[in-house]
Amino acid sequence: MFKKFTNGCVRVVNRWLPDAFLFAVILTFVVFIGALAATGLPVFSAAKDADGKPVLDLITAWGGNSTFWSLLSFSMQMALVLVLGSACASAKPFKALLRTLAGMCRTPMHAILMTTFVSTICCWLNWGFGLVIGALLAKEVVRRVPTVDYPLLIASAYSGFVIWHAGLSGSIPLDLVAGKTFGEVLYQAPISATIMHPMNLIMCGIILVAMPFVNYAMHPDKEHVVTIDPALLKDEEEREYKIDTPADKIEHSKILWVILVVMGLAYIVHYFFIEKGSLGLNIVNFIFLFLGILLHGDLRRYVDAIGEAAAGAAGVLLQFPFYAGIMGLMVAKNADGVSLAGVISQLFVNISNTVTFPMLSFLAAGIVNFFVPSGGGQWAVQGPIMMPAGAALGIDAGRTAMAVAWGDQWTNMIQPFWALPALGIAKLSARDVMGYLVVVLLFTGVVAILGFLAWGLFF
């Protein structure tokens, strides 16, 4: 019965899911219509309605400089997380580690369990690093276990992303450390109240242990297994460098490499132990930048690794402006202050109490994330609604913020945006893996719902 359900999900997704960019375009149209309905603006008239709000304002809310291009800074941070994580993962020490882990796999069960487990841990540590490591490990694993279902293996590699926002690179909990102002109120919570809270760790632990087995339970029968073309498994040849000119010697200088590494590591130590700095996106990127330089052992090699990794950020660079535009539509308000995001969020707030509010906030965030798959965008859309509502119910800021963060990561399983880097490495399309990820969505949704109810009852 379980495999029949999985097979049905795979067939539906293969038939109906468009390219990731077209998916964003379609979402734009859907949200535009939803915003028209929520704000009560006229559809076919540019004349002002009774509230004095022209429908053209929705177009402006989508394409204006303050909306369509509003995530440029955040986009750069996210692109760097991906590129720096990718460059770090491509270093020889990491490749050797991946080969060692892949060598432990002998059967399809080993392959799925290992890939899911490693990907989940790495995504918790850093989402960009985890996305890349999972896909690279999957390619190493399938060399040793060619009978494993390749689309499911890549889906397993991506499934670890479902706990990224509950981990060390989660933008919402890290933003809350320094404090976030909504209205005139400053909301602040330490890492111990968000990422390191016992309930958050318990939910992550359950997913880490159980999800590998959920993924393996979806493995098709032998006659339905989709294997990989061996031609796609060839590694690119190791680049050879000629050191003939003074410029070549400078580029491969060990002295410059050592000085730069020492400076970077010295600042990291100073930041955490002298300044007592907190873990934010910028310092995470700084760590991965210098860790990558250290592991590559050569500045020229690292420059080339960054160049190769940058291609994986193409989807982020193309689609982020469109999702920023969608975010603008989601928060566009009429004269009464009504917006589509507000309608969705307020609906869940209205039926909440002190126990159910975080759980319902998680569900609301999951719906909103489907249209705004950016952690920063999610925070900007829902933070002004959920944080004051949670405070009014006496719920601490950390728990409310983590409910939004979990909802943000949850529906990424059926939102192809963040799967693009892994799919690029695997040479697959979103429709090849999303059917399996529907099951992952249902499983992790149950874990999160029960977890947030327990968080309200016992903590």
Side-chain angles (χ1 to χ4, degrees):
M1 180 65 72
F2 181 72
K3 287 190 177 181
K4 286 184 178 180
F5 176 75
T6 301
N7 292 337
C9 292
V10 171
R11 284 194 298 271
V12 170
V13 169
N14 282 337
R15 185 173 177 83
W16 290 99
L17 184 68
D19 175 81
F21 176 63
L22 294 177
F23 186 81
V25 172
I26 292 170
L27 282 184
T28 299
F29 300 152
V30 170
V31 174
F32 186 87
I33 294 172
L36 285 173
T39 57
L41 297 178
V43 179
F44 299 110
S45 174
K48 291 188 176 183
D49 62 2
D51 293 322
K53 190 79 171 179
V55 69
L56 189 59
D57 282 2
L58 275 184
I59 298 292
T60 303
W62 169 72
N65 286 333
S66 61
T67 50
F68 198 82
W69 303 112
S70 63
L71 295 180
L72 286 181
S73 176
F74 184 72
S75 299
M76 185 62 177
Q77 286 180 312
M78 293 295 100
L80 281 175
V81 169
L82 177 58
V83 171
L84 297 177
S86 300
C88 190
S90 68
K92 285 184 179 180
F94 267 111
K95 285 186 176 181
L97 175 61
L98 292 177
R99 291 190 181 102
T100 300
L101 292 173
M104 300 167 62
C105 300
R106 296 289 184 270
T107 67
M109 180 179 183
H110 295 159
I112 299 297
L113 297 185
M114 175 67 76
T115 301
T116 306
F117 188 79
V118 171
S119 170
T120 304
I121 290 178
C122 291
C123 283
W124 191 86
L125 293 173
N126 179 273
W127 69 265
F129 182 65
L131 280 179
V132 175
I133 283 291
L136 292 176
L137 175 60
K139 289 187 69 175
E140 290 293 336
V141 165
V142 79
R143 287 188 176 98
R144 289 152 180 81
V145 190
T147 57
V148 69
D149 186 83
Y150 189 57
L152 176 59
L153 186 66
I154 298 303
S156 300
Y158 178 65
S159 66
F161 194 61
V162 78
I163 65 167
W164 83 270
H165 218 151
L168 298 181
S169 62
S171 54
I172 291 177
L174 294 182
D175 197 29
L176 209 61
V177 172
K180 184 70 173 180
T181 300
F182 293 116
E184 298 180 353
V185 180
L186 176 68
Y187 298 91
Q188 197 166 15
I191 292 294
S192 59
T194 55
I195 296 171
M196 294 300 175
H197 190 281
M199 197 62 233
N200 184 65
L201 295 177
I202 288 171
M203 288 190 288
C204 289
I206 291 173
I207 290 174
L208 175 65
V209 173
M211 190 165 64
F213 295 96
V214 172
N215 286 343
Y216 177 65
M218 292 188 281
H219 197 276
D221 298 328
K222 287 184 178 180
E223 58 269 22
H224 297 112
V225 167
V226 178
T227 55
I228 182 64
D229 181 356
L232 298 178
L233 300 179
K234 293 181 180 179
D235 276 332
E236 295 182 5
E237 294 183 3
E238 189 73 25
R239 180 175 298 187
E240 297 292 336
Y241 294 91
K242 292 182 179 181
I243 306 177
D244 298 326
T245 67
D248 294 333
K249 293 179 181 179
I250 293 173
E251 290 180 347
H252 296 277
S253 170
K254 290 297 182 183
I255 295 175
L256 294 179
W257 172 75
V258 169
I259 293 174
L260 188 60
V261 169
V262 169
M263 288 180 63
L265 295 180
Y267 175 74
I268 293 170
V269 172
H270 181 271
Y271 178 83
F272 285 110
F273 294 98
I274 306 300
E275 294 184 10
K276 305 295 182 182
S278 58
L279 195 65
L281 286 176
N282 288 334
I283 191 62
V284 166
N285 279 333
F286 192 90
I287 291 170
F288 271 86
L289 170 63
F290 284 92
L291 180 61
I293 293 174
L294 172 66
L295 293 176
H296 278 276
D298 184 284
L299 294 179
R300 179 69 252 178
R301 287 186 183 277
Y302 187 68
V303 169
D304 292 337
I306 289 291
E308 294 172 3
V316 175
L317 299 177
L318 173 62
Q319 294 182 43
F320 247 84
F322 284 89
Y323 281 106
I326 291 173
M327 184 178 76
L329 291 173
M330 290 287 290
V331 300
K333 298 178 180 179
N334 62 15
D336 296 323
V338 177
S339 68
L340 178 58
V343 169
I344 295 173
S345 299
Q346 195 62 49
L347 174 65
F348 285 87
V349 169
N350 291 340
I351 58 175
S352 301
N353 56 41
T354 54
V355 175
T356 63
F357 176 77
M359 181 267 289
L360 293 173
S361 297
F362 158 75
L363 294 175
I367 294 173
V368 173
N369 174 70
F370 196 72
F371 304 98
V372 187
S374 152
Q378 183 92 11
W379 193 219
V381 167
Q382 288 200 281
I385 299 170
M386 294 306 186
M387 297 304 289
L393 290 171
I395 297 170
D396 63 277
R399 183 151 58 111
T400 301
M402 289 310 293
V404 177
W406 271 81
D408 169 71
Q409 67 190 9
W410 179 45
T411 45
N412 283 331
M413 293 298 98
I414 55 172
Q415 224 294 0
F417 180 65
W418 291 112
L420 294 175
L423 294 172
I425 293 172
K427 302 186 188 312
L428 293 177
S429 66
R431 63 173 62 93
D432 293 321
V433 302
M434 287 296 165
Y436 296 114
L437 293 170
V438 170
V439 177
V440 174
L441 175 90
L442 297 175
F443 162 68
T444 53
V446 170
V447 172
I449 288 172
L450 296 178
F452 279 109
L453 287 175
W455 197 332
L457 289 171
F458 303 114
F459 290 93

Coordinates of all heavy atoms in Angstrom, one line a residue, residues 59-93:
I59 N 0.7 45.7 -9.5 CA 1.8 45.5 -10.4 C 3.0 46.2 -9.9 O 4.1 45.7 -10.0 CB 1.4 46.2 -11.8 CG1 0.2 45.4 -12.4 CG2 2.6 46.1 -12.8 CD1 0.5 44.0 -12.8
T60 N 2.8 47.4 -9.3 CA 3.9 48.1 -8.7 C 4.5 47.3 -7.5 O 5.7 47.2 -7.3 CB 3.5 49.5 -8.2 OG1 3.0 50.2 -9.3 CG2 4.7 50.3 -7.6
A61 N 3.6 46.7 -6.7 CA 4.0 45.9 -5.6 C 4.8 44.7 -6.0 O 5.7 44.2 -5.2 CB 2.8 45.4 -4.8
W62 N 4.6 44.2 -7.2 CA 5.4 43.1 -7.8 C 6.7 43.5 -8.4 O 7.7 43.0 -8.0 CB 4.5 42.4 -8.8 CG 5.3 41.4 -9.6 CD1 5.8 40.2 -9.2 CD2 5.7 41.5 -11.0 NE1 6.5 39.5 -10.2 CE2 6.5 40.3 -11.3 CE3 5.6 42.5 -11.9 CZ2 7.0 40.1 -12.5 CZ3 6.1 42.2 -13.2 CH2 6.8 41.1 -13.5
G63 N 6.7 44.6 -9.2 CA 7.9 44.9 -10.0 C 8.7 46.1 -9.5 O 9.7 46.4 -10.1
G64 N 8.2 46.7 -8.4 CA 8.9 47.9 -8.0 C 10.3 47.7 -7.4 O 10.7 46.5 -7.1
N65 N 11.2 48.7 -7.4 CA 12.5 48.5 -6.9 C 12.5 48.1 -5.4 O 13.5 47.4 -5.0 CB 13.3 49.9 -7.0 CG 13.7 50.2 -8.4 OD1 13.8 49.3 -9.2 ND2 13.8 51.5 -8.7
S66 N 11.5 48.4 -4.7 CA 11.5 48.0 -3.3 C 11.0 46.6 -3.1 O 10.9 46.1 -1.9 CB 10.6 49.0 -2.5 OG 9.3 49.0 -3.0
T67 N 10.6 46.0 -4.1 CA 10.0 44.6 -4.0 C 10.8 43.6 -4.9 O 11.5 42.7 -4.4 CB 8.5 44.6 -4.4 OG1 8.3 45.2 -5.6 CG2 7.7 45.3 -3.3
F68 N 10.7 43.8 -6.2 CA 11.3 42.8 -7.1 C 12.8 42.7 -6.9 O 13.4 41.6 -7.0 CB 11.1 43.2 -8.6 CG 11.3 42.1 -9.6 CD1 10.3 41.2 -9.8 CD2 12.5 42.1 -10.3 CE1 10.5 40.2 -10.8 CE2 12.7 41.0 -11.2 CZ 11.6 40.1 -11.5
W69 N 13.5 43.8 -6.5 CA 14.9 43.8 -6.2 C 15.2 43.9 -4.8 O 16.3 44.2 -4.4 CB 15.6 44.9 -7.0 CG 15.3 44.9 -8.5 CD1 14.6 45.7 -9.2 CD2 15.8 43.9 -9.4 NE1 14.6 45.3 -10.5 CE2 15.3 44.2 -10.7 CE3 16.6 42.7 -9.2 CZ2 15.6 43.4 -11.8 CZ3 16.9 42.0 -10.4 CH2 16.4 42.3 -11.6
S70 N 14.3 43.6 -3.9 CA 14.4 43.8 -2.5 C 15.3 42.8 -1.8 O 15.8 43.0 -0.7 CB 13.1 43.9 -1.8 OG 12.4 42.6 -1.9
L71 N 15.5 41.7 -2.4 CA 16.3 40.6 -1.8 C 17.7 40.5 -2.4 O 18.4 39.4 -2.3 CB 15.6 39.2 -2.0 CG 14.2 39.1 -1.3 CD1 13.7 37.7 -1.5 CD2 14.4 39.4 0.2
L72 N 18.2 41.5 -3.0 CA 19.5 41.5 -3.6 C 20.6 41.1 -2.6 O 21.5 40.3 -2.8 CB 19.9 42.8 -4.4 CG 19.1 43.0 -5.7 CD1 19.6 44.3 -6.3 CD2 19.4 41.8 -6.7
S73 N 20.6 41.8 -1.5 CA 21.6 41.6 -0.4 C 21.5 40.2 0.1 O 22.5 39.4 0.3 CB 21.4 42.6 0.7 OG 22.3 42.3 1.8
F74 N 20.2 39.8 0.4 CA 20.0 38.4 0.9 C 20.3 37.4 -0.1 O 20.9 36.3 0.2 CB 18.6 38.3 1.4 CG 18.2 37.0 2.0 CD1 18.7 36.7 3.3 CD2 17.5 36.1 1.4 CE1 18.4 35.5 3.9 CE2 17.2 34.8 2.0 CZ 17.7 34.6 3.2
S75 N 20.0 37.7 -1.4 CA 20.4 36.8 -2.5 C 21.9 36.5 -2.5 O 22.3 35.4 -2.7 CB 19.9 37.3 -3.8 OG 18.5 37.5 -3.8
M76 N 22.6 37.6 -2.3 CA 24.1 37.4 -2.4 C 24.6 36.6 -1.2 O 25.4 35.7 -1.4 CB 24.8 38.8 -2.3 CG 26.3 38.8 -2.4 SD 26.8 38.2 -4.0 CE 28.6 38.4 -3.9
Q77 N 24.0 36.7 0.0 CA 24.3 35.9 1.1 C 24.0 34.4 0.8 O 24.8 33.5 1.1 CB 23.6 36.4 2.4 CG 24.1 37.6 3.0 CD 23.3 38.0 4.2 OE1 22.1 38.0 4.2 NE2 24.0 38.3 5.3
M78 N 22.8 34.2 0.3 CA 22.4 32.8 0.0 C 23.2 32.2 -1.1 O 23.6 31.0 -1.1 CB 20.9 32.8 -0.4 CG 20.0 33.2 0.7 SD 20.0 32.0 2.1 CE 21.0 32.9 3.3
A79 N 23.5 33.0 -2.1 CA 24.4 32.5 -3.2 C 25.8 32.1 -2.7 O 26.4 31.1 -3.1 CB 24.5 33.5 -4.3
L80 N 26.3 32.9 -1.8 CA 27.6 32.7 -1.2 C 27.6 31.4 -0.3 O 28.5 30.6 -0.3 CB 28.1 33.9 -0.4 CG 28.7 35.0 -1.2 CD1 29.0 36.2 -0.3 CD2 29.9 34.6 -2.0
V81 N 26.5 31.2 0.4 CA 26.4 30.0 1.2 C 26.5 28.8 0.3 O 27.2 27.8 0.6 CB 25.0 30.0 2.0 CG1 24.8 28.6 2.6 CG2 25.1 31.0 3.1
L82 N 25.8 28.9 -0.8 CA 25.8 27.7 -1.8 C 27.2 27.6 -2.5 O 27.7 26.5 -2.5 CB 24.7 28.0 -2.8 CG 24.6 26.9 -4.0 CD1 24.4 25.5 -3.4 CD2 23.5 27.3 -4.9
V83 N 27.7 28.7 -3.0 CA 29.0 28.6 -3.7 C 30.1 28.2 -2.8 O 31.0 27.4 -3.1 CB 29.3 30.0 -4.4 CG1 30.7 30.0 -5.0 CG2 28.2 30.2 -5.5
L84 N 30.2 28.9 -1.6 CA 31.3 28.5 -0.7 C 31.2 27.1 -0.2 O 32.2 26.4 0.0 CB 31.3 29.6 0.4 CG 31.6 31.0 0.0 CD1 31.5 31.9 1.3 CD2 33.0 31.1 -0.6
G85 N 30.0 26.7 0.1 CA 29.8 25.3 0.6 C 30.1 24.3 -0.5 O 30.8 23.3 -0.3
S86 N 29.8 24.6 -1.8 CA 30.1 23.8 -2.9 C 31.6 23.7 -3.1 O 32.2 22.6 -3.3 CB 29.5 24.3 -4.2 OG 28.1 24.4 -4.1
A87 N 32.3 24.8 -3.0 CA 33.8 24.8 -3.2 C 34.5 24.1 -2.1 O 35.4 23.4 -2.4 CB 34.3 26.3 -3.3
C88 N 33.9 24.2 -0.9 CA 34.5 23.4 0.2 C 34.3 21.9 0.0 O 35.2 21.1 0.2 CB 33.9 23.9 1.5 SG 34.6 23.3 3.0
A89 N 33.2 21.6 -0.5 CA 32.9 20.1 -0.7 C 33.7 19.5 -1.8 O 33.9 18.3 -1.8 CB 31.4 20.0 -1.0
S90 N 34.1 20.3 -2.7 CA 34.9 19.8 -3.9 C 36.4 19.6 -3.6 O 37.1 19.2 -4.4 CB 34.8 20.7 -5.1 OG 35.4 22.0 -4.8
A91 N 36.8 20.0 -2.4 CA 38.2 19.8 -2.0 C 38.6 18.4 -1.8 O 37.7 17.5 -1.5 CB 38.5 20.6 -0.7
K92 N 39.8 18.0 -2.1 CA 40.3 16.6 -2.0 C 40.0 15.9 -0.7 O 39.5 14.8 -0.7 CB 41.7 16.5 -2.4 CG 42.1 16.7 -3.8 CD 43.6 16.5 -4.1 CE 43.9 16.7 -5.6 NZ 45.3 16.5 -5.8
P93 N 40.2 16.6 0.4 CA 39.9 15.9 1.7 C 38.5 15.5 1.8 O 38.1 14.4 2.3 CB 40.3 16.9 2.8 CG 41.4 17.7 2.1 CD 40.9 17.8 0.7

